[in-house]
Amino acid sequence: MDRFLTEEQQMIVDIARQITDELIIPQRAELDEKHEFPRQILNAMAQADLFGLPIPEAYGGFGGSCLDISLALEEFGRGCIGVGTAFAASALGAYPIMIGGSEEMKEKYLPDVASGEKFAAFGLTEANAGSDASGIQTTAVLDGEEWVLNGTKQWITNGGEAQIYTVVAMTDKSRGPRGASIFVVEENDPGFSCGLKEKKMGIRTSSTTELIFKDCRIPADRIVGRKGTGFITVMKTLDSSRPGIAALGVGLAQGALDMAVTYAKQREQFGKPIISFQAVQHMLADMATQLEAARALTYAAARHIDAHPKDMSKASSMCKVYATDVAMKVATDAVQVMGGYGYMCEYPAEKMMRDAKILQIYEGTNQVQRNVIGQELNKEYNR
Ligand code: COS
C-alpha cells in the first residue's frame, strides 16, 4: 500500500534498505550463532549518517522526525531486529540528554552519538525493578563535587559496547518516583564496570549486560537536568523510543511474510504449489492484512507524535503493543506455513520467531502498554 512518504523519507528508506540487503541479511545468521556484536554494520550505518537521525541539527544530527527514525528501523527490522536494537539503543541512551540535559551536556555528548563515533545505552532496569520503573534501588549520593553511585542495572542493551550510559538512580528514596535522577556515566569512570554478556533466546547479536556501580564517582555536573526529575525524563524517553520498537516489529513481520509467501509459491505438495491451497492462502492473507494495519498505526502514531510532541504516551504505547503483537503472530505463522523447514535453524524463520518475542517484553511489556493506554483513556474521558 502507498505509504505517502516524502522524497526525503524515501531516501532514508533506500539507504536503510541497502544496508539491510547488503550487510544485515547476509550476516544475520552468523552474528546470531556467534552472539557477535554487529560493529561493522553499525559502522556502515554511521558512515551513512543514520545515527544522526534522532539528534537535533544543533548537535550534529539531522533532527529527523519520529517517522524518519521509524522508517530506518523498519528496514533494519526486516533484516534483523538484533542489529536494529543495537542501533536503536544508542538513541534510547541519548534521549534523556536530549530531553533533560543542559546545553553543555548536549554539546559534550550528542555530536559523538550523532556521528556514530560513540554508542550510548540506557540503564533503567534492575533485578527487582522492571515494569515497576520507580522501584529502582541504585543510589546516587552527592559527596563534595562528585556523585557516588552504587547498585546494579540488569539486561542493559549495548552494555559493554557503549561509551556513554544514561543511568537512573535514586537521589532520595523517600520521595518515590520524585526521588529519581538520571546521570551520565562514561565507560572508563572509576567504580563502573559491565557484567558478562547475557545469553538470550533471540536478538543474540545485540549485547545485553549488567551495569555495576561500586562507589562509582562522577563529576557533579553529570546529573541530567534537576535532581528528582529523573522519572519524568524516563517516561518521556520511553514515549519517544517505543514507536521505534513498533517499527522494528513492522519490519520483522514484513521479513517473515516475504519469506512465507516466497516459500509457499515454491513448495509443492499434492502436485501443486502450497500457495494454491485455501488453508495456506488464508494464513498469508491474515498475515499481510495484520502487517498493513500495524504499519498504518505505527506511521499514524509517529505522525501524531511529530505534530504533537507533548501528547505522545497513548499513541506511542498503542503502536508498540499492536505492531509487536502482530510481529509475534506473523513470525509464528511464517514458521507454520514453512512447516519443518520453518523450524530448522538453516532457514531464518525460526530466528525471526525467537527474535520477535523480545518486542513484546522490552521497553515496557505489552501489558504495561495497555495500562498506559487505559490510564490515558481514563484521563481523556474525565476532561
Ligand atoms: N510522561 C510524563 N510524565 C509521566 C509519564 C509520561 N509518559 N508517565 C507517568 N508520568 C508521571 C506521572 O504523571 C506521575 O507524576 P506525578 O507524581 O507528578 O503525578 C509520575 O510520572 C509517576 O507516574 P505513575 O504513578 O503513573 O507511575 P507508576 O510508578 O505507576 O508507573 C508505569 C507507571 C507502569 C507506566 C511505568 O512504571 C512504566 O512505564 N513501566 C515500564 C517501564 C519500562 O518500560 N521498563 C523497560 C525499560 S527497557 S529500556
Side-chain angles (χ1 to χ4, degrees), residues 90-127:
S90 195
L92 177 70
Y95 275 126
I97 299 174
M98 290 190 262
I99 292 166
S102 65
E103 200 51 41
E104 296 74 42
M105 183 176 267
K106 289 177 184 170
E107 279 168 12
K108 180 170 178 196
Y109 292 107
L110 295 181
D112 284 343
V113 177
S115 67
E117 203 158 299
K118 291 187 177 168
F119 300 139
F122 181 54
L124 168 65
T125 304
E126 297 181 3

Side-chain angles (χ1 to χ4, degrees), residues 66 70 73 88 92 95 122 124 130-131 133 234-249 298 301-302 305 312-324 359 361-373:
C66 181
S70 301
L73 284 169
L92 177 70
Y95 275 126
F122 181 54
L124 168 65
S131 293
V234 165
M235 291 295 132
K236 289 183 179 166
T237 293
L238 293 168
D239 283 347
S240 307
S241 68
R242 284 171 181 158
I245 303 303
L248 286 177
T298 302
I305 287 167
M312 303 170 93
S313 299
K314 191 176 75 174
S316 174
S317 289
M318 279 182 164
C319 66
K320 197 275 185 185
V321 73
Y322 189 76
T324 62
L359 294 167
I361 296 171
Y362 67 5
E363 297 213 16
T365 64
N366 283 6
Q367 287 68 32
V368 160
Q369 307 312 318
R370 290 179 170 92
N371 287 352
V372 172
I373 297 164

Side-chain angles (χ1 to χ4, degrees), residues 213-369:
F213 304 94
K214 282 191 181 152
D215 288 327
C216 168
R217 288 184 166 269
I218 56 173
D221 63 2
R222 294 264 203 90
I223 187 165
V224 178
R226 277 182 299 112
K227 190 176 144 188
T229 58
F231 190 74
I232 303 291
T233 305
V234 165
M235 291 295 132
K236 289 183 179 166
T237 293
L238 293 168
D239 283 347
S240 307
S241 68
R242 284 171 181 158
I245 303 303
L248 286 177
V250 172
L252 185 142
Q254 182 69 62
L257 177 72
D258 292 347
M259 198 170 305
V261 175
T262 308
Y263 176 86
K265 282 166 74 75
Q266 286 165 357
R267 170 79 168 166
E268 291 196 3
Q269 289 290 278
F270 308 103
K272 294 194 268 191
I274 63 167
I275 199 163
S276 58
F277 296 113
Q278 198 178 49
V280 174
Q281 279 176 10
H282 282 190
M283 282 184 81
L284 295 173
D286 282 347
M287 289 157 75
T289 307
Q290 287 154 2
L291 164 60
E292 285 299 346
R295 178 177 287 125
L297 178 57
T298 302
Y299 289 12
R303 288 183 169 121
H304 173 86
I305 287 167
D306 288 330
H308 308 280
K310 290 198 171 143
D311 178 30
M312 303 170 93
S313 299
K314 191 176 75 174
S316 174
S317 289
M318 279 182 164
C319 66
K320 197 275 185 185
V321 73
Y322 189 76
T324 62
D325 281 353
V326 164
M328 188 71 245
K329 168 134 193 327
V330 172
T332 307
D333 287 349
V335 170
Q336 188 68 25
V337 167
M338 294 175 71
Y341 289 100
Y343 200 72
M344 295 300 127
C345 296
E346 210 179 323
Y347 301 92
E350 65 84 33
K351 173 183 172 314
M352 288 182 179
M353 187 174 160
R354 284 189 285 109
D355 283 354
K357 191 65 211 168
I358 193 62
L359 294 167
Q360 297 177 303
I361 296 171
Y362 67 5
E363 297 213 16
T365 64
N366 283 6
Q367 287 68 32
V368 160
Q369 307 312 318

